[in-house]
Amino acid sequence: MAVSFSLVSLFSGIGGLDEGLHQSGFRTRFCCELDEYARASLGNWTQLRSVTPEIASDILQVSSVKLRTRLGLDKGELDLLAGGPPCQSFSLIGKRASLGDPRGQLLFQMILFAEEFRPKFVLVEQVKGLRSAPGSDGERGGALKSFEAGLGDLGYSVQHQVLRASDYGVPQHRERLFIVAAAPGYSFSFPEPSHLNPHKPQSDGQPEDPRPKHVGVRKVIEDLPSPVKKGEVAHFPNHIDITPPRDKERIHGVPEGQYLAAQMHLPAHQRQRLNPKKDTTKFRRLSWDEPSLTLRGGEAFYHPEEDRYITPREALRIHGFPDELVLEGPIRGRSGSYRGLDQHRQVSNAVPPALAAALGRQLVRALKQG
């Protein structure tokens, strides 16, 4: 597809949103990522797609006025401003400091850049928790209301919707909130799901839906060779097993698609203090023929049948990244600690490209009709 629409990408990560938008017809003119390892991986993505954007680190050190001038864009000329600001302060997992967390304030950098560039569209990815995150006055849902009001004050019509990645061909049940703001004269509608949940009952008398079913993990990782150990030469990039011996012991005997806490037949010393009702994602195996649970940075899911974590390459496949993308930085075990983002976290922070592409196609359609 000929790439003809301009994109400024903020909080770019390793380029998941950029990759999907690139597939649908956008070319990244600028991207920004604070973490040094993710930024290096992002650099690999730009080389892979033969794009040469300006790449910055700290968005707080970037002048939107100077950037627009450097890019040679008049106000209103940019087609799309997109980004996924840090979501930890809005996540349902954790302290949920919302706008009281400096990371939560980064969401409003999108408005600052929108005010300067006046793009035709603004696209923001966030966790579902933003819908209920309190605003500065403590009102439930106030953070999202305040953000959308800020875009509205600039003349944009704003809408949001939670999309599930598995409904768009991604082998992962990942739900995220997407916010789209359209400039005057443009309109947008969210993409309809391209894939169906096979477990959802079909109404009696209705014709069979021709859309394909959700994609399982098997389809994307089964053909990979065995991973190498840390320190060995990886013949397949980022396909490295760093599972500690004790974790291999603890996951042994857990059936495909199940989690350790529920396996009451296993010894107590193996289950330890895990709670069968609460610890449903800890020491959890993926299912071969079902989409993965949402990949998250704080937990490592296990291979459907082997006694090991999924590798960063398997995580990339589950997210939908091309095999040519190589990640930089360390691979962290459960007990490890690094200042920057390890490879698993880089993937889990990204937007699945296929979902971004579905949104991108809708944006392209809207741009052509505007």
Side-chain angles (χ1 to χ4, degrees):
M1 174 182 290
V3 178
S4 58
F5 297 99
S6 55
L7 166 65
V8 165
S9 169
L10 309 184
F11 312 102
S12 307
I14 62 174
L17 195 55
D18 294 72
E19 167 67 12
L21 293 171
H22 183 89
Q23 292 176 15
S24 54
F26 289 88
R27 178 171 291 275
T28 305
R29 300 284 305 279
F30 170 85
C31 49
C32 187
E33 173 53 42
L34 183 61
D35 180 80
E36 61 174 318
Y37 299 131
R39 191 167 63 252
S41 299
L42 177 65
N44 290 343
W45 176 82
T46 64
Q47 294 181 37
L48 173 64
R49 293 302 178 222
S50 299
V51 294
T52 55
E54 178 181 332
I55 302 178
S57 54
D58 188 354
I59 193 63
L60 297 180
Q61 302 302 314
V62 177
S63 163
S64 58
V65 177
K66 293 180 179 179
L67 175 63
R68 184 177 63 78
T69 301
R70 288 199 303 273
L71 296 180
L73 292 169
D74 294 330
K75 287 194 175 187
E77 188 176 358
L78 177 66
D79 293 308
L80 177 63
L81 171 69
C87 62
Q88 295 92 333
S89 55
F90 305 120
S91 176
L92 297 174
I93 302 172
K95 297 181 180 180
R96 300 201 74 195
S98 192
L99 299 182
D101 185 331
R103 294 173 297 184
Q105 294 290 340
L106 290 173
L107 173 64
F108 289 84
Q109 286 291 311
M110 300 296 299
I111 295 178
L112 187 152
F113 277 75
E115 183 175 16
E116 176 57 34
F117 279 85
R118 298 297 174 124
K120 299 177 181 71
F121 284 97
V122 179
L123 170 64
V124 179
E125 181 255 5
Q126 265 296 322
V127 292
K128 294 190 300 180
L130 179 60
R131 294 179 302 173
S132 58
S136 56
D137 59 357
E139 177 191 2
R140 178 181 172 84
L144 178 57
K145 289 180 181 178
S146 178
F147 179 71
E148 293 188 335
L151 289 170
D153 289 343
L154 297 178
Y156 289 93
S157 58
V158 188
Q159 57 184 309
H160 65 262
Q161 188 169 316
V162 172
L163 302 180
R164 176 177 287 195
S166 55
D167 290 340
Y168 299 88
V170 180
Q172 183 182 169
H173 286 311
R174 180 188 182 92
E175 291 186 323
R176 288 295 183 266
L177 176 71
F178 289 89
I179 305 165
V180 176
Y186 293 91
S187 61
F188 175 84
S189 59
F190 282 98
E192 291 295 322
S194 59
H195 289 64
L196 300 174
N197 181 352
H199 304 298
K200 187 176 181 180
Q202 188 172 334
S203 301
D204 293 337
Q206 292 293 320
E208 184 175 354
D209 197 312
R211 288 175 292 181
K213 303 296 191 293
H214 284 173
V215 178
V217 167
R218 182 190 303 275
K219 185 173 182 179
V220 295
I221 72 169
E222 189 179 37
D223 65 325
L224 283 168
S226 297
V228 300
K229 303 296 182 184
K230 192 173 183 179
E232 298 177 349
V233 177
H235 300 293
F236 209 99
N238 308 114
H239 193 39
I240 302 171
D241 174 18
I242 47 81
T243 316
R246 178 54 178 154
D247 283 7
K248 289 178 178 287
E249 294 173 2
R250 294 193 69 188
I251 198 63
H252 186 72
V254 176
E256 174 192 341
Q258 296 295 314
Y259 53 97
L260 177 57
Q263 310 310 308
M264 304 308 292
H265 66 286
L266 294 177
H269 70 81
Q270 186 174 347
R271 289 182 283 109
Q272 295 187 359
R273 297 182 180 180
L274 293 175
N275 187 310
K277 294 183 178 180
K278 294 182 179 180
D279 296 323
T280 60
T281 59
K282 295 178 180 178
F283 290 93
R284 174 83 180 238
R285 283 196 189 278
L286 299 180
S287 297
W288 273 124
D289 298 316
E290 297 286 340
S292 167
L293 302 179
T294 301
L295 300 184
R296 297 203 298 261
E299 291 178 318
F301 292 128
Y302 289 78
H303 188 273
E305 59 186 48
E306 297 177 19
D307 292 342
R308 62 172 178 82
Y309 306 150
I310 60 169
T311 67
R313 176 54 53 189
E314 288 167 330
L316 283 163
R317 286 257 187 120
I318 290 170
H319 235 63
F321 281 97
D323 283 343
E324 294 78 12
L325 177 62
V326 177
L327 298 179
E328 305 293 343
I331 305 175
R332 177 171 60 179
R334 292 173 66 93
S335 58
S337 176
Y338 297 96
R339 177 177 297 180
L341 293 176
D342 61 88
Q343 292 182 19
H344 284 95
R345 286 177 184 268
Q346 289 179 41
V347 179
S348 65
N349 284 353
V351 177
L355 178 52
L359 288 160
R361 289 190 292 271
Q362 290 294 97
L363 287 164
V364 166
R365 185 175 294 111
L367 284 165
K368 289 180 177 179
Q369 293 175 349

